[in-house]
């Protein structure tokens, strides 16, 4: 599978037609996040020699957050490097089929977030997580920190669900699948929009059905688009949405991918658009003051930008290529945005 299957979305969904603006400091942001990854031992050797190094995560972040301070964009890019390093350790390190092994890998990471620092002799993942958390949590409320840790715990459960499904071959019921897949898609990533933008979403907004639909819909669309592009590598993952659709409907993978794009992703984008249209009325109903309402709107706009930002990033990055692709521009050169 490849990103070309997603092009109809960019051509026909109004919210995806216009390319994202790109942060003017893209290159320094990329260099700094790459240097951090090397310093913490997450990327070793030539960047293009590993799938993690070819991720070029700054290109996603700089489309998602084109107006934030460069240091904030660097921090979000580093979180993406860390997450995909964790994902690679589970998948490539032979842990993916053992819930016990996945749980043992994740337990010290949960403890790192609770303590606020890493243990002596901590693993690369623990030490780099402690550094990220020390630069992310300040300035955020206890409620936000608790929510972030809860979402990390959800991701842990998603990884355990996948490990069990790999071992047993059993899929969740169709009605439960989206929520199960959402946990595996690292729900804490959307929380990072708030410290990056300097705006915390109030609890009264978080509890509305409108916000939950906006957040869950954005998570679903980005997870399912990622599944389509990653399917060739993840065809043995029972929670990949292409595999799930093929199995549920008795379709070939290629046909299942078309169904995923033209029916499920399309419909979920409509759900997100509907929630976005209702958000202003929801904030008026809640009588949010103008400052908090503007902050909520900024976070919502970043969520709405996520599908198009991801689409452009998937087109450019080399993470899902079977080998280094010389046609993909180096992070040191300006990329040519081809999805217009």
């Amino acid at each position: 599978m490849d990103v070309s299957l997603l092009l109809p979305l960019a051509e026909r969904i109004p919210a995806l037609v216009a390319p994202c603006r790109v942060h003017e400091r893209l290159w320094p942001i990329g260099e700094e996040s790459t240097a951090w990854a090397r310093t913490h031992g997450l990327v070793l050797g030539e960047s293009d020699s590993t799938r993690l190094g070819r991720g070029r995560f700054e290109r996603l972040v700089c489309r998602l957050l084109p107006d934030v301070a460069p240091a904030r964009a660097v921090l979000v890019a580093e979180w993406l490097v860390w997450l995909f390093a964790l994902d690679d350790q589970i998948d490539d390190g032979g842990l993916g089929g053992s819930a016990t092994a996945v749980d043992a890998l994740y337990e010290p990471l949960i403890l790192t977030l609770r303590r606020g620092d890493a243990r002596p002799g901590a693993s690369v993942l623990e030490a780099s997580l402690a550094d990220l958390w020390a630069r992310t949590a300040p300035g955020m409320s206890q409620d936000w920190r608790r929510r972030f840790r809860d979402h990390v715990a959800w991701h842990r459960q998603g990884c355990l669900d996948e490990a069990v499904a790999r071992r047993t071959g059993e899929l969740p019921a169709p009605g439960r699948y989206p929520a199960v897949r959402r946990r595996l898609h690292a729900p804490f990533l959307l929380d990072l929009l708030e410290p990056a933008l300097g705006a915390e979403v109030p609890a009264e907004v978080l509890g509305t059905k409108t916000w939950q639909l906006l957040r869950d819909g954005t998570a679903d669309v980005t997870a399912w688009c990622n599944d389509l592009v990653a399917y060739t590598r993840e065809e043995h993952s029972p929670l990949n949405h292409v595999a799930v659709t093929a199995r549920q409907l008795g379709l070939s993978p290629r046909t299942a991918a078309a169904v995923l794009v033209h029916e499920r992703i399309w419909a979920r984008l409509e759900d997100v658009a509907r929630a976005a249209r209702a958000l202003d009325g929801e904030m008026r109903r809640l009588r949010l003051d103008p400052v908090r309402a503007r902050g909520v709107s900024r976070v919502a706009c970043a969520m709405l930008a996520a599908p198009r930002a991801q689409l452009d990033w998937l087109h450019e990055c080399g993470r899902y290529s079977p080998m280094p692709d010389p046609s993909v521009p180096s992070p040191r050169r300006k990329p040519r945005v081809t999805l217009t």
Side-chain angles (χ1 to χ4, degrees):
M1 303 297 171
D2 60 63
V3 74
S4 65
L5 293 172
L6 295 170
L7 294 182
L9 297 175
E11 295 167 355
R12 299 181 62 183
I13 299 292
L16 300 185
V17 169
C20 297
R21 293 188 300 115
V22 180
H23 200 293
E24 64 180 5
R25 301 292 291 171
L26 169 65
W27 313 119
I29 289 167
E31 293 292 340
E32 190 169 338
S33 57
T34 299
W36 176 88
R38 291 186 181 283
T39 298
H40 286 273
L42 296 172
V43 173
L44 303 173
E46 290 294 325
S47 292
D48 282 352
S49 67
T50 65
R51 290 191 311 110
L52 184 63
R54 297 199 304 272
R56 297 172 172 85
F57 302 108
E58 74 280 359
R59 297 187 184 182
L60 173 57
V61 174
C62 286
R63 287 181 168 93
L64 189 62
L65 300 165
D67 298 316
V68 302
R72 296 286 93 186
V74 168
L75 182 59
V76 177
E78 291 167 356
W79 271 106
L80 284 171
V81 174
W82 180 87
L83 171 64
F84 280 89
L86 171 64
D87 185 65
D88 288 349
Q89 184 158 339
I90 292 173
D91 289 342
D92 300 338
L95 308 181
S98 169
T100 301
V102 171
D103 200 45
L105 173 66
Y106 226 124
E107 178 63 21
L109 304 178
I110 296 290
L111 293 176
T112 296
L113 288 181
R114 290 176 183 168
R115 289 191 307 261
D117 56 16
R119 304 171 300 172
S123 69
V124 166
L125 285 173
E126 289 176 63
S128 53
L129 177 61
D131 177 71
L132 290 171
W133 188 239
R135 291 184 289 129
T136 302
M140 304 306 292
S141 71
Q142 288 296 328
D143 286 342
W144 182 90
R145 297 182 194 194
R146 188 179 304 110
R147 169 162 45 102
F148 187 93
R149 288 193 295 263
D150 286 346
H151 288 162
V152 172
W154 289 10
H155 181 245
R156 177 193 198 176
Q157 185 59 53
C159 294
L160 294 174
D161 291 340
E162 184 180 44
V164 170
R166 279 175 167 160
R167 179 62 61 88
T168 65
E170 295 182 3
L171 292 176
R176 290 188 58 247
Y177 172 76
V180 171
R181 179 64 185 90
R182 209 175 293 138
R183 288 198 295 266
L184 186 59
H185 193 53
F188 58 87
L189 287 181
L190 290 178
D191 295 323
L192 292 172
L193 295 176
E194 294 166 71
L197 292 166
E200 193 166 324
V201 180
E204 55 264 43
V205 175
L206 292 171
T208 64
K209 291 182 179 179
T210 297
W211 188 263
Q212 290 167 12
L213 179 57
L214 177 62
R215 182 188 175 100
D216 289 351
T218 300
D220 289 343
V221 167
T222 53
W224 300 350
C225 287
N226 188 83
D227 282 359
L228 187 145
V229 176
Y231 173 75
T232 302
R233 180 174 178 273
E234 294 182 350
E235 59 184 308
H236 299 300
S237 171
L239 298 187
N240 180 288
H241 207 327
V242 176
V244 167
T245 303
R247 189 166 170 178
Q248 285 176 346
L249 303 180
L251 302 173
S252 70
R254 193 79 179 182
T255 304
V259 169
L260 178 59
V261 171
H262 294 285
E263 294 183 17
R264 298 185 178 180
I265 294 176
W266 196 301
R268 206 62 174 132
L269 283 166
E270 291 295 327
D271 291 340
V272 170
R274 186 171 67 255
R277 290 192 296 269
L279 186 59
D280 282 345
E282 198 74 80
M283 290 192 290
R284 287 194 298 271
R285 182 183 66 81
L286 294 170
R287 298 181 180 178
L288 286 191
D289 64 77
V291 172
R292 292 201 299 168
R294 282 195 296 271
V296 171
S297 294
R298 292 182 70 201
V299 176
C301 286
M303 286 191 190
L304 291 172
R308 177 66 202 225
Q310 182 199 29
L311 189 58
D312 288 343
W313 171 70
L314 288 171
H315 189 79
E316 286 186 356
C317 82
R319 177 169 174 79
Y320 300 105
S321 303
M323 61 182 64
D325 184 352
S327 69
V328 176
S330 163
R332 297 180 178 83
R333 296 197 302 272
K334 186 174 182 179
R336 184 176 68 253
V337 178
T338 55
L339 290 178
T340 58

